[in-house]
């Protein structure tokens, strides 16, 4: 009998991939949820998946936007029109008609770059957002931003040679995908004392270090608004980043999927890198990613998003097109979502009042929870937490008792993983340990979403767990 | 100013990727369609994309199955229930309710392996199909079969070392993905004179050749029903293939996405490799792929499918789970499609009569067109065509005049590419040259789908083009 396929037989690059957002904690959370469903007694009534920005998950239930879903239902089943034509807003019917005429059936493959009309709409949205033109030929619709990031890293990386500058802490999609494609991560630290700001000198140091080690820095990843940090870049910093990319011939990969999640828009507005590049008339190559999974839509399950190429030559775009064509096309449901995201109902249109009401509620709830949770976490001994102006997360720093650090060592775990596991077992709240995003030696963090229901009870559970944890391990 | 990013800077593996189904011919077809839309005069009224199995595309318009779309519309917008509860069949309402209770919102990320309830249904479908049990834990829902194939090849391949046995001709997803991940293709030829059957000795020769060259054969790809060939394997051949995999310790990758497309089911039924493996009680590792894009649903745009792992250890499955978790989850729209595909309305249920009528028409139309087109093509000078018993394609062999071969050489093109380009320019019919799938030296083929509208006119256009082409190049 032949030997069976073992893990040791697999591609070593794949074995190196780590993705903490759906790692040990998430698997444990699933186990606990199954135990609850089987009627077992646990110290909590439900598991809350604060490890992932998934606004519409069961138990959080951020409601979908009605306009999106009415359009989607008509696209799925066009004869529905007869039943709803006197009942649903006329702009819903008009949007569905326009998209049906372009697309035909949602069951057909589309152009591999995405439906041409929707790419035109994306270009128009970008032009209006930034005040600089955008070309539909530069737009690729994708199955979520992750699919676009994976494509770009795959295309840019020469295995074991190419360095990609990534922020620390970072969304672990980047380290996971670098591991998959044998890219070399070149970490640069964000500055927590300055609200997780991006420091040019940190990036310069990382470039210098890579060059000394014979690694060619090829691209710079910026996540703005930040994940897991919730920070927002100001324009002068962005312009300095563009200048740095020009100096070192770096492709700029701008992950801007949280651009609609702004909790303090007057003091912390969003600026796109596309705008910064055009304002400086810079020749740098830029890829900007956006997604329907975040914002106030939170339509994660559709898998939709896009990226825009700036200053990318036609022949490089042709390679990108070839690669996406192997995967045939992004999900049509996600492409329709992109259209709804970048062409929401406008003031004066019949769907607008409901759209405005629904999205205002979601924006306000996120801003309120973020502020309240940051304040309360900051009141705990050994915890400090930047009050995120954007995205969906807080990323508090936690000092841990020496005994807790030792206990973790004995279990072969990171100390913040121990903290997160005990939090999950005590409260049902699942967060991601800071070690999954990267942090300085001896520092500990965790990331949690601000999507919880009943924020008072939720933050109360975090507080009482933290105090008990300190007590259990002999205090700070 | 720094030098800009050029094609030469990109990952060399990516540059080697070729995917003819959406290659030169498809791009040319798009140009011609744009010209027609702009009102330009061409020798035809419309472009027909026979290059890709996309049943619901505009102009072909294979209608979607009503049951699927009513369920999908209710999933998109649950309040729709109030409007349709007295109008739509009760089994549609019950299915939507059951799925909504399990899933919650279609806008939420699901489990990365797919919705647990749907995986249970898939396992039940497989058990009933084969007469052997199936475990939901062995099922991974995917964004179409392509996503699953890509994952498995990525995981199995040690760059530049691992050989994967692929049929020639093959669906170019395989060579494209092997190029992307630096796997070594180990081609084995199908036997056209025997209806494109699979020969064990051809595979044995390819294994021996690889071993001599220091390449480790790791997996064997079988496409059944065949693409581009439309052939169907009989059980004795399948059992011999399983035994061969056992002998050489090969993982069997069974692409079974056309399992519902059977034109001669009495003489050419489908058997799954799962059944063959279980019947022989074989320990070989098998991954079986299925898709909602083919069959009589043809729901390509949703991006849905699954693979089943047979005899794959839990720790290897954990690696697969880790990798799919980085991409978060397959599109929910595609997952719901999988449920509709493997749990269609049953006899006695209210949706059944319409479902039966719709799918019978599609099955019959495919079988009729396949038979008629094969017969007519076989009547042309220099053309021979296996009458495909399955899938969506014909793959005729064409003898080409010496002058045509020379003309192609002068253009730096494959002779069958020249043929396909002229066919497109004369008739608007876009096919894929056989060189895109692989063929023996000096042989020429093309693949076309049997999805055309108005088959008499369509095949008439193929015939008159072929005769003119022979005339133009001085005959055979």
């Amino acid at each position: 009998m032949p030997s069976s396929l073992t893990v040791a037989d697999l591609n070593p690059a794949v074995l190196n991939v780590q993705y903490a957002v759906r790692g040990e904690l998430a698997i444990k959370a699933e186990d606990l949820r199954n135990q609850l469903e089987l009627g077992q007694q646990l110290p909590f009534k439900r598991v809350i998946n604060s490890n992932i920005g998934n606004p519409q998950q069961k138990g959080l239930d951020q409601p979908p936007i009605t306009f999106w879903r009415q359009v989607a239902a008509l696209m799925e089943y066009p004869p529905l029109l007869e039943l709803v034509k006197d009942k649903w807003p006329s702009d819903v019917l008009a949007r569905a008609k326009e998209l049906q005429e372009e697309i035909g059936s949602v069951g057909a493959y589309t152009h591999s770059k995405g439906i041409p009309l929707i790419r035109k709409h994306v270009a128009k949205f970008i032009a209006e957002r930034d005040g600089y033109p955008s070309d539909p030929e530069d737009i690729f619709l994708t199955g979520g931003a992750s699919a676009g990031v994976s494509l770009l890293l795959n295309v840019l990386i020469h295995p074991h040679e190419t360095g990609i500058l990534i922020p620390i802490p970072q969304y672990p999609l980047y380290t996971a995908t670098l591991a998959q494609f044998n890219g070399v991560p070149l970490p640069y630290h964000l500055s927590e004392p300055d609200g997780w700001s991006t420091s040019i000198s940190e990036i310069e140091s990382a470039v210098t270090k890579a060059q000394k080690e014979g690694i060619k820095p090829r691209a710079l990843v910026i996540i703005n608004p930040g994940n897991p940090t919730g920070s927002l870049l100001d324009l002068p910093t962005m312009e300095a980043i563009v200048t740095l990319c020009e100096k070192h011939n770096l492709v700029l990969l701008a992950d801007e999927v949280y651009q609609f999640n702004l909790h303090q828009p007057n003091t912390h507005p969003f600026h796109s890198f596309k705008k910064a590049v055009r304002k400086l008339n810079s020749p740098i190559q830029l890829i900007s990613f956006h997604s329907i999974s975040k914002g106030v839509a939170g339509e994660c399950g559709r898998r939709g998003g896009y990226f825009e190429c700036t200053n990318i030559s036609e022949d490089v775009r042709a390679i990108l097109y070839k690669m996406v064509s192997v995967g045939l096309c992004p999900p049509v449901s996600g492409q329709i979502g992109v259209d709804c995201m970048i062409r929401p109902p406008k003031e004066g249109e019949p769907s607008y009042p409901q759209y405005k009401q629904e999205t205002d509620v979601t924006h306000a709830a996120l801003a309120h929870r973020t502020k309240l949770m940051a304040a309360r976490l900051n009141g705990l001994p050994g915890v400090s937490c930047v009050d995120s102006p954007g995205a969906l997360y807080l990323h508090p720093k936690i000092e841990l008792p020496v005994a807790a650090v030792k206990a973790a060592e004995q279990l072969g775990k990171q100390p913040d993983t121990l903290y997160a596991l005990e939090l999950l077992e005590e409260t049902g709240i699942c967060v991601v340990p800071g070690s999954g995003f990267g942090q300085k030696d001896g520092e500990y963090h965790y990331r949690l979403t601000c999507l919880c229901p009943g924020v008072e009870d939720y933050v109360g559970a975090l507080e009482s767990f933290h105090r008990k944890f300190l007590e259990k391990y002999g205090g700070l």
Side-chain angles (χ1 to χ4, degrees), chain A residues 311-389:
Chain A
N311 297 331
I312 303 288
S313 67
E314 190 175 337
D315 51 355
V316 170
R317 277 192 281 117
I319 300 288
L320 296 174
Y321 172 60
K322 177 184 76 175
M323 293 305 290
V324 295
S325 77
V326 179
L328 297 161
C329 73
V332 176
S333 157
Q335 297 189 51
I336 292 167
V338 170
D339 198 76
C340 290
M341 175 175 75
I342 48 86
R343 281 205 302 161
K346 288 198 208 99
E347 203 160 351
E349 292 175 350
S351 291
Y352 183 77
Q354 184 169 10
Y355 172 81
K356 173 96 169 57
Q357 190 269 333
E358 289 171 347
T359 53
D360 281 355
V361 165
T362 298
H363 274 304
L366 267 172
H368 167 70
R369 284 192 299 252
T370 303
K371 193 175 180 64
L372 183 143
M373 285 162 64
R376 294 271 288 270
L377 289 169
N378 275 317
L380 288 171
V383 178
S384 65
C385 181
V386 172
D387 178 12
S388 303

Side-chain angles (χ1 to χ4, degrees), chain A residues 209-442:
Chain A
K209 183 162 176 286
Q211 286 165 338
K212 275 190 195 149
E213 290 166 0
I215 297 296
K216 182 172 171 46
R218 176 79 269 186
L220 168 64
V221 173
I222 301 271
I223 311 175
N224 180 49
N227 176 5
T229 65
S231 63
L232 266 156
L233 292 174
D234 56 34
L235 255 182
T237 305
M238 293 172 72
E239 293 179 8
I241 289 168
V242 171
T243 305
L244 176 142
C245 288
E246 213 167 313
K247 177 177 161 194
H248 295 293
N249 196 18
L250 295 169
V251 177
L252 180 55
L253 302 175
D255 178 337
E256 301 178 333
V257 301
Y258 296 97
Q259 62 186 272
F260 295 143
N261 291 113
L262 307 176
H263 314 316
Q264 304 160 22
N266 294 329
T267 52
H268 292 82
F270 168 77
H271 304 284
S272 74
F273 267 105
K274 170 76 180 299
K275 182 171 152 184
V277 166
R278 287 294 183 238
K279 183 160 172 261
L280 295 175
N281 201 17
S282 167
I284 71 157
Q285 281 93 38
L286 165 68
I287 311 280
S288 310
F289 302 92
H290 197 8
S291 168
I292 64 170
S293 300
K294 312 303 169 189
V296 283
E299 290 277 356
C300 309
R302 315 183 92 76
R303 314 308 298 123
Y306 71 80
F307 63 84
E308 184 191 21
C309 303
T310 302
N311 297 331
I312 303 288
S313 67
E314 190 175 337
D315 51 355
V316 170
R317 277 192 281 117
I319 300 288
L320 296 174
Y321 172 60
K322 177 184 76 175
M323 293 305 290
V324 295
S325 77
V326 179
L328 297 161
C329 73
V332 176
S333 157
Q335 297 189 51
I336 292 167
V338 170
D339 198 76
C340 290
M341 175 175 75
I342 48 86
R343 281 205 302 161
K346 288 198 208 99
E347 203 160 351
E349 292 175 350
S351 291
Y352 183 77
Q354 184 169 10
Y355 172 81
K356 173 96 169 57
Q357 190 269 333
E358 289 171 347
T359 53
D360 281 355
V361 165
T362 298
H363 274 304
L366 267 172
H368 167 70
R369 284 192 299 252
T370 303
K371 193 175 180 64
L372 183 143
M373 285 162 64
R376 294 271 288 270
L377 289 169
N378 275 317
L380 288 171
V383 178
S384 65
C385 181
V386 172
D387 178 12
S388 303
L392 302 176
Y393 312 103
L394 290 172
H395 198 57
K397 180 156 79 172
I398 45 174
E399 287 175 59
L400 295 180
V402 177
V405 175
K406 281 196 184 149
E409 271 167 19
Q410 280 172 358
L411 293 166
K413 292 190 187 300
Q414 292 292 327
D416 48 16
T417 300
L418 176 78
Y419 184 91
L421 280 169
E422 294 200 7
L423 174 65
L424 175 58
E425 284 159 5
E426 289 291 317
T427 66
I429 296 172
C430 181
V431 301
V432 187
S435 44
F437 303 96
Q439 55 200 351
K440 291 184 178 160
D441 285 345

Side-chain angles (χ1 to χ4, degrees), chain A residues 54 57 104 109 130 155 172 241 327 378 384 450 463:
Chain A
N54 186 13
Q57 68 179 284
Y109 291 126
D130 296 338
V155 166
I241 289 168
N378 275 317
S384 65
C450 301
E463 287 169 334

